[in-house]
Amino acid sequence: MTITDGHNGLAHVPLSLTPQKAKDYTTDQEVRWCPGCGDYVILATVRGFLAELGLRRENLMFVSGIGCSSRFPYYLDAYGIHSIHGRAPAIATGLAVTRPDLSVWVVTGDGDALSIGGNHLIHALRRNVNLTILLFDNRIYGLTKGQYSPTSEPGTVTKSTPLGSVDHPFDTLALALGADASFVGRALDSDRSGLTEVLRAAAAHRGAAFVEILQDCPIFNDGSFDVLRREEAPRRLIPLRHGEPLRFGAEREFAVVRSGFGLAVVRADDVGEVEVVVHDAHSADPGYAHALARLGDQQLNHVVTGVLRDVARPTYDDGVRAQLAAAGEPGDLQALLDGPETWTVGPPAD
């Protein structure tokens, strides 16, 4: 049995004939992350979600680059490739093009994806390859022992920036949207239900699905997202759900409204209900998703979570396969080499 809906990211991927559990995705490998690392929660969440997804494990492929997050394939009982620094999207693209029966996932970090792998990431998004890309963002290089990364806050003191970073960091969501990603989402590592909800939508999407997961590094950047887990969290986190008004806070006392060409956070009592923006993840206006991304800041005063954008457009892998089908069977190469010095390229013979 396969999922055959052509608009589904899992089209043609075989389903398991028996129910699955999270333990079915657990390998015999010792999980080697530091105690307290957010990767543990992400791993447990993904294992549970994959069981719910119900695909054949033989048709799952996880491709990673280099970094703490990139050990992920070792700990999932499915097919996986621990690949080259920053090049996971390129390898995953080849798999997606040649094997439409696979569900292909990329697991990467903020250093792996946004530094050496920056071009590979943006072009996979631009091309809209049918991949699910999970970017673990802890705002630091963990595996190489604590250098600042492309998402580190200005002023971050590390071994490579002893006087504080002077770099302006990437806004990861804005970067993905700038590359015209057809699906962009964000979740917090400790929010298992929210992460599962985003993963479910990302897996169902046909095209490049980009999911940033805010993840704590307890050794080199401890507590970087603590304000999103404690008593201040309700007034900082803006959960996005398609078709629902953008109101948040412990008493839903804050709201998001239009402000010029962008969006702004106001107290809900100061505006009418009709002024509150209703989230539209399927909006054809890319400016709306960009405005949502820009609601956030490095100080984490406001952080959007959930699915920002989920729109349909042609995928790269479908286009390549359609071209190959239209070209027909290859001709006789030896006859071509032995033939005249010129030849005519035309449509395949009937």
Side-chain angles (χ1 to χ4, degrees), residues 9-327:
L10 302 174
H12 312 300
V13 181
L15 294 172
S16 172
L17 298 179
T18 58
Q20 298 175 335
K21 298 180 180 178
K23 67 179 182 180
D24 295 326
Y25 294 90
T26 303
T27 69
D28 59 358
Q29 299 296 301
E30 177 188 0
V31 181
R32 301 181 64 184
W33 289 315
C34 300
C37 177
D39 288 356
Y40 284 100
V41 182
I42 300 172
L43 175 62
T45 304
V46 170
R47 282 173 174 167
F49 165 73
L50 291 176
E52 170 196 314
L53 201 58
L55 301 177
R56 279 172 39 121
R57 284 180 291 149
E58 297 89 336
N59 293 83
L60 280 167
M61 174 59 77
F62 282 79
V63 184
S64 66
I66 298 297
C68 296
S69 63
S70 295
R71 297 190 60 81
F72 214 79
Y74 291 103
Y75 310 138
L76 281 176
D77 194 3
Y79 280 107
I81 298 176
H82 191 178
S83 72
I84 309 168
H85 202 185
R87 273 67 175 182
I91 295 170
T93 295
L95 287 163
V97 169
T98 58
R99 290 288 303 275
D101 62 323
L102 295 181
S103 175
V104 184
W105 298 63
V106 171
V107 179
T108 184
D110 47 297
D112 182 60
L114 300 176
S115 187
I116 192 170
N119 271 336
H120 293 283
L121 175 68
I122 61 174
H123 291 300
L125 298 175
R126 172 183 65 85
R127 288 169 167 159
N128 201 32
V129 186
N130 194 33
L131 305 171
T132 305
I133 303 171
L134 307 183
L135 188 149
F136 299 7
D137 185 3
N138 56 18
R139 296 179 167 184
I140 204 77
Y141 278 98
L143 187 67
T144 51
K145 305 301 183 283
Q147 299 87 350
Y148 82 115
S149 85
T151 58
S152 295
E153 309 97 311
T156 298
V157 176
T158 72
K159 295 175 181 178
S160 56
T161 54
L163 299 180
S165 168
V166 297
D167 278 11
H168 182 76
F170 272 129
D171 180 327
T172 52
L173 301 185
L175 175 74
L177 291 165
D180 203 19
S182 55
F183 181 104
V184 176
R186 174 192 276 156
L188 190 62
D189 59 357
S190 56
D191 180 10
R192 292 190 63 169
S193 62
L195 176 55
T196 301
E197 188 176 326
V198 173
L199 291 175
R200 188 180 294 120
H205 178 78
R206 186 155 193 80
F210 175 86
V211 178
E212 179 192 34
I213 305 174
L214 304 181
Q215 172 254 329
D216 192 43
C217 175
I219 304 302
F220 298 110
N221 201 16
D222 191 27
S224 54
F225 298 112
D226 278 358
V227 293
L228 304 181
R229 299 183 175 93
R230 296 175 179 171
E231 62 274 4
E232 296 182 59
R235 72 174 183 83
R236 294 175 181 265
L237 289 170
I238 307 176
L240 306 174
R241 289 185 176 83
H242 179 70
E244 295 187 11
L246 293 181
R247 294 188 60 165
F248 64 101
E251 304 295 331
R252 293 172 58 82
E253 66 271 28
F254 300 105
V256 176
V257 298
R258 300 276 182 182
S259 177
F261 293 106
L263 301 172
V265 173
V266 298
R267 294 199 65 88
D269 290 343
D270 295 338
V271 297
E273 192 64 32
V274 69
E275 296 178 72
V276 179
V277 173
V278 175
H279 181 46
D280 182 7
H282 309 313
S283 173
D285 175 18
Y288 169 68
H290 275 278
L292 281 176
R294 292 299 185 184
L295 278 175
D297 53 52
Q298 282 288 310
Q299 290 71 44
L300 306 179
N301 290 314
H302 295 111
V303 176
V304 292
T305 61
V307 178
L308 282 77
R309 189 182 196 216
D310 183 357
V311 298
R313 64 183 180 89
T315 67
Y316 176 79
D317 37 314
D318 286 340
V320 170
R321 289 192 293 269
Q323 281 191 337
L324 291 174

